[in-house]
């Protein structure tokens, strides 16, 4: 074997496949090439490592082109018995050394990552044995004294400690919500009950979040088995009451690992039999199975995988041979490194707790937001409000939507209404935003009035872009008094925040305004202060990405460059994140601006790429990236200058971005915000001088900001927050879409 003392990185996908694995491999390969480090793919997981030969192959920039949007894993995955044996791992070590690989990015679940750690621990001994057997030289062994390991958590179950989300979970939730939304409509037509089994042997995440996102009527998860002897009666009662009060469909979601408190499985079939026997209901079972693993990855999974893949290579290159093996995950939109085996142990801790019947511990280990989601769901699943606790003060709280409709607004209203009524309060719905408040279009919302709102896009309450001025304040004050409104929830975008701030500023003139107002961020533009994400943006991003995937596919054979204009006003979030998710060569944002020099550089890059064999180019442009160099100008310029080598087509995606049913994330986040907003309003409404605020998501946690800080935190002219956390991601988007000079000889042929 020739002695190569160069160091190479190996990347493999192992265990159960999950959507997003391709994006992670692409990111690992391209980041490494950009840093002038060679990288090999190890095909079919550990099986390929044990077999060697052409299962380990050097990757080029183009070998990971065109895979970002694909589900599964293009480099294959397997479960490998041989790797569980020392003999198998000895072969694997020899095969890695043949390719000078001494750093591994292992993309998989806890099993795969355990395997990687076992291998790392044995590495020096394995090398010694290989030297003794004459399979490798001492020099080779000395070149690669240690094996560096970075694990990326990939599992659709979201069962790994060390990351808020694992690669593939968000996509699986997309598949689950699409399926259950579809099932609900057929169930409603025949007034049927469906029992839907979702994946999750030891983890109820998919079942719980799937139920929250689809407005399901009952759920079973492994971490929290139902109460002995009474759950059958309780479930039947809720479903029966729901039917009697007009619910046409009933959906029960069961995680595949659901059990009762004695550890006996609760299967979909057993629930069906129970419901048929006790309620005489026409009940059907749907086991979603592998559909949940399949299909194109969601935007979140593509971008999460891309960011983690990039961070994995950076960690390896910055580290020493003795660097601790880490798991790289994402917590609150920030990359975090955690000791690998600590994460694996904490992960198996939940399974152990469930096996031992320590359910409180299992719920505790899942973390606060899981527990909170479960409690919220317990209320939302009721067919009718429960009797409030004695002595509970009953308040009158109002809710409105403001600004453009954002997918998830209805979900938030539904959750606010039901959680509020369940606590004994009266909830008033204001039609058409602040215009309705001025005109007195206010009505009481009851439990059933929001039926079906969990899953629908648009705004059932109606919304408007009205910002109250001068004489409007008097009318508003009158209606606040007339309807005895004691707190107001504004679910909306910039207009809503400005309007709420206007009311708050008039407090000295109108005593009626001495009520708490809370703004909840709901805008596809994601341009609101205090929140890293606003409701609706995730849906819009998925709409854009689906459309761009199709546009790109339409042109593979025709040397075409697409200039796609996306919404966002002056905020480039949609442009950047969709660019990252679709592998756009250029993304133009207002935040960065555009100069003629930029355009010339980008044009030369495109011409070069097409001359070398690129077939599709993609440029994503925010609608207000530049007043002169807009998408018309850019299309015309590129068409004129590139006409010898490529054609240009412009696509303005328009309102399709705003439409459609909310994504699972938007539904879940809307529900969480609604629960927190209600808590805030109840607390503040009971104070003599209540405060007003806007709510947001920061580093994965919900935060409240004083409404007085609104002007201080925003760039008013451009209607966006002063601080935009995602701008740093622009660099990575650029690195992965455009090979640096010398990064790869055939670079840029496939582009994406
Ligand atoms: P996942 O990574 O999705 O949890 P598995 O548990 O099936 O999937 O693990 C995938 C592969 O990782 C196994 O087939 C095996 O090759 C390897 N592996 C898992 N656990 C170990 C271990 N303790 N020692 C060595 N290899 C392991």
């Amino acid at each position: 074997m020739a002695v190569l003392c160069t160091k190479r990185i190996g990347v493999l996908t192992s265990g159960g496949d999950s959507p997003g694995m391709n994006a992670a491999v692409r990111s690992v390969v391209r980041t490494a090439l950009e840093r002038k480090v060679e990288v090999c793919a190890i095909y079919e997981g550990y099986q390929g490592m044990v077999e060697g030969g052409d299962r380990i192959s050097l990757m080029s920039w183009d070998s990971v082109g065109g895979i970002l949007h694909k589900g599964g894993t293009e480099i294959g995955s397997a479960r490998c018995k041989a790797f569980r044996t020392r003999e198998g791992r000895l072969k694997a070590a020899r095969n890695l050394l043949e390719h000078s690989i001494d750093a591994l990015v292992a993309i998989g679940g806890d099993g795969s990552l355990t395997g990687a750690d076992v291998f790392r621990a044995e590495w020096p001994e394995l090398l010694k044995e290989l030297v003794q057997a004459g399979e490798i030289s001492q020099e080779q062994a000395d070149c690669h004294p240690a094996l560096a390991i970075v694990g990326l958590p990939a599992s659709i179950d979201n069962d790994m400690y060390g990351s808020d989300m694992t690669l593939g979970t968000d996509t699986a939730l997309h598949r689950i919500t699409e399926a259950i939304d579809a099932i609900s409509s057929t169930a409603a037509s025949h007034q049927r009950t469906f029992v839907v089994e979702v994946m999750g042997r030891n983890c109820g995440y998919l079942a719980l979040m799937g139920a929250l996102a689809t407005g399901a009527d009952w759920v079973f998860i492994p971490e929290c088995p139902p109460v002995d002897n009474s759950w059958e009666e309780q479930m039947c009662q809720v479903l029966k009451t729901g039917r009697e009060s007009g619910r046409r469909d009933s959906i029960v979601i069961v995680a595949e690992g659901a059990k009762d408190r004695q550890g006996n499985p609760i299967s979909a079939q057993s629930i069906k039999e129970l419901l048929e026997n006790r309620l005489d209901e026409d009940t059907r079972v749907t086991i979603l199975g592998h559909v949940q693993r399949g299909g194109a990855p969601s935007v979140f999974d593509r971008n999460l995988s891309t960011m983690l893949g990039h961070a994995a290579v950076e960690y390896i290159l910055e580290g020493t041979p003795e660097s601790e093996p880490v798991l790289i995950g994402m917590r609150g939109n920030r990359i975090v490194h955690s000791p690998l085996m600590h994460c694996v142990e904490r992960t198996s801790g939940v399974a152990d707790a469930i096996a031992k019947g320590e359910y409180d511990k299992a719920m505790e280990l899942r973390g606060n937001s899981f527990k909170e989601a479960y409690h919220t769901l317990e209320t939302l699943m009721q067919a009718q409000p429960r009797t409030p606790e004695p002595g509970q003060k009953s308040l009158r709280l109002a809710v409105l939507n403001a600004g453009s409709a954002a997918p998830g607004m209805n979900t938030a209203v539904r959750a606010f209404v039901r959680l509020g009524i369940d606590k004994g309060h009266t909830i008033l719905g204001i039609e058409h935003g602040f215009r309705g408040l001025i005109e007195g279009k206010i009505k009481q919302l009851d439990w059933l009035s929001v039926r079906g709102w969990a899953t629908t896009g648009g705004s059932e309450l109606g919304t408007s872009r009205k910002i109250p001025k001068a004489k409007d304040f008097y009318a508003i004050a009158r209606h606040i008094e007339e309807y005895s409104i004691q707190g107001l929830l504004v679910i909306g975008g910039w207009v809503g925040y400005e309007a709420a701030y206007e009311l708050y500023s008039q407090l000295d003139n109108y005593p009626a305004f001495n009520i708490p107002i809370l703004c909840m961020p709901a805008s596809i533009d994601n341009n609101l202060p205090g929140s890293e994400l606003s409701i609706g943006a995730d849906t819009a991003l998925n709409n854009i990405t689906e459309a761009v995937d199709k546009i790109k596919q339409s042109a593979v054979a025709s040397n075409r460059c697409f200039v796609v204009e996306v919404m966002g006003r002056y905020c480039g979030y949609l442009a950047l994140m969709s660019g990252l998710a679709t592998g756009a060569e250029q993304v133009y944002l207002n935040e960065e601006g555009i100069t003629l020099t930029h355009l010339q550089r980008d044009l030369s890059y495109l011409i070069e790429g097409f001359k070398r064999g690129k077939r599709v180019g993609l440029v994503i442009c925010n609608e207000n990236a530049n007043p002169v160099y807009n998408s018309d100008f850019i299309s015309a310029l590129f068409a004129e200058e590139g006409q010898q080598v490529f054609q240009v087509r412009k696509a303005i995606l328009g309102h399709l971005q705003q439409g459609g049913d909310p994504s699972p994330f938007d539904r879940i986040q809307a529900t969480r915000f609604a629960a927190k907003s209600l808590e805030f309003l109840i607390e503040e409404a009971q104070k003599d001088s209540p405060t007003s605020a806007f709510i947001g998501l920061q580093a994965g946690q919900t935060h409240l900001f004083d409404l007085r800080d609104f002007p201080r935190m925003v760039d008013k002219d451009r209607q966006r927050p002063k601080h935009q956390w995602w701008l740093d991601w622009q660099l990575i988007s650029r690195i992965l879409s455009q090979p640096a000079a010398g990064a790869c000889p055939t670079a840029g042929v496939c582009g994406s």
Side-chain angles (χ1 to χ4, degrees), residues 14-17 21 45-47 50 77-85 89 107-119 154-155 159-160 293:
S14 169
D17 65 305
M21 281 179 158
Y46 293 119
Q47 191 66 40
V50 173
S77 183
R79 295 209 156 87
C80 171
K81 275 196 189 141
F83 194 72
R84 290 183 184 270
T85 66
R89 295 192 291 272
I107 307 168
D110 56 342
S112 304
L113 304 185
T114 306
D117 193 62
V118 170
F119 190 38
S155 150
D159 54 355
M160 281 293 296
R293 264 191 203 293

Side-chain angles (χ1 to χ4, degrees), residues 632-655:
D632 282 336
F633 180 95
I634 295 170
S635 308
L637 175 75
F638 284 15
E640 179 63 20
E641 297 290 322
Q643 56 182 296
Q644 303 301 325
V645 262
F646 62 89
Q647 300 175 332
V648 175
R649 293 286 182 276
K650 194 179 81 166
I652 297 181
L653 296 187
H655 282 81

Side-chain angles (χ1 to χ4, degrees), residues 271-554:
I271 300 165
K272 168 188 154 82
E273 284 161 16
L274 178 78
L275 294 174
E276 283 183 336
N277 292 337
R278 294 217 187 169
L279 297 179
D280 199 19
E281 280 269 328
D282 184 5
T283 308
R284 305 289 158 106
V285 168
T286 300
I287 295 179
L288 292 186
H290 283 78
V291 163
Q292 296 162 84
R293 264 191 203 293
S298 67
V299 172
F300 180 85
D301 274 329
R302 297 183 198 192
N303 291 353
L304 174 70
S305 305
T306 297
M307 297 307 289
L308 298 191
H310 177 80
V313 174
E314 293 293 329
Y315 181 82
I316 288 171
L317 298 185
E318 281 161 19
T320 61
E322 291 75 35
S323 288
E324 183 178 29
V326 291
L327 178 125
I328 299 192
M330 186 81 83
R331 283 207 186 279
N333 293 323
R334 309 293 185 284
I335 303 280
V336 286
H337 301 74
S338 319
L340 184 72
M341 287 320 285
H342 173 67
C343 296
V344 170
E345 279 153 22
R346 288 283 300 239
T347 300
S348 41
V350 184
D352 292 346
I354 293 172
K356 288 186 194 146
E358 296 169 359
Y359 302 115
D360 289 345
K361 185 174 170 196
M363 285 297 272
E364 210 53 53
L365 286 170
R366 283 273 176 251
N368 270 343
S369 65
F370 188 91
K371 272 195 301 183
E372 280 173 16
Y374 187 76
H375 294 313
T376 302
L377 183 66
E378 278 183 318
T379 305
L380 296 176
M381 285 186 322
Q382 301 299 316
Q384 278 178 350
R386 294 171 290 199
T387 317
E389 283 170 21
Q392 168 84 50
K393 190 170 176 194
S394 175
L395 300 163
R396 291 173 65 81
L397 305 173
V399 55
L400 60 77
N401 293 157
S404 303
M409 278 179 162
N410 293 329
T411 321
V413 175
R414 169 186 179 265
F416 183 72
V417 169
R418 291 211 168 163
L419 296 172
I421 295 176
D422 191 63
K423 286 194 156 69
H425 306 295
T426 299
I427 309 293
L428 304 162
I430 301 168
E431 291 171 10
H432 300 294
F434 282 91
R435 205 174 75 211
L437 188 54
I438 295 164
E439 294 170 2
K441 299 218 165 111
I442 301 168
K443 60 180 180 196
Q444 187 170 339
L445 296 172
D446 63 24
W447 196 266
L448 290 174
S449 62
V450 291
R451 191 174 56 201
W453 287 23
T455 60
T456 50
S459 161
E460 294 285 341
L461 272 183
T463 181
S464 73
R465 304 189 57 77
K466 174 79 186 165
I467 299 179
K469 295 267 174 302
K471 65 176 183 347
D472 299 332
F473 297 125
Y474 175 72
I476 291 178
R478 207 159 47 82
H479 291 130
I480 289 177
E481 279 167 357
E482 189 180 322
Y483 287 89
S484 308
I485 295 171
Q486 292 168 287
L488 174 65
L489 175 62
V490 175
I491 302 171
W494 192 269
V495 163
Y497 281 55
E498 272 206 334
Y501 186 75
E502 287 293 321
L503 286 203
Y504 181 76
S505 310
Q506 294 292 327
L507 180 58
D508 290 343
N509 302 329
Y510 298 90
F513 295 172
N514 188 33
I515 58 167
I517 304 174
L518 186 74
C519 297
M520 182 195 298
S523 159
I524 67 161
D525 300 339
N526 199 29
N527 62 339
L528 296 161
S531 196
E532 288 167 359
L533 294 169
S534 54
I535 296 163
D538 184 60
T539 309
L541 269 181
N542 280 290
N543 289 344
I544 295 170
T545 301
E546 253 174 56
V548 173
D549 283 351
K550 285 182 188 147
I551 287 174
K552 281 179 78 170
Q553 224 171 28
S554 74

Side-chain angles (χ1 to χ4, degrees), residues 68 303 541 545 574-587 618 620 733:
L68 196 50
N303 291 353
L541 269 181
T545 301
L574 292 180
L576 178 58
M577 291 299 173
S578 62
L580 195 59
T582 53
E585 278 83 1
Q586 269 88 40
V587 176
L618 177 64
I620 295 197
S733 163

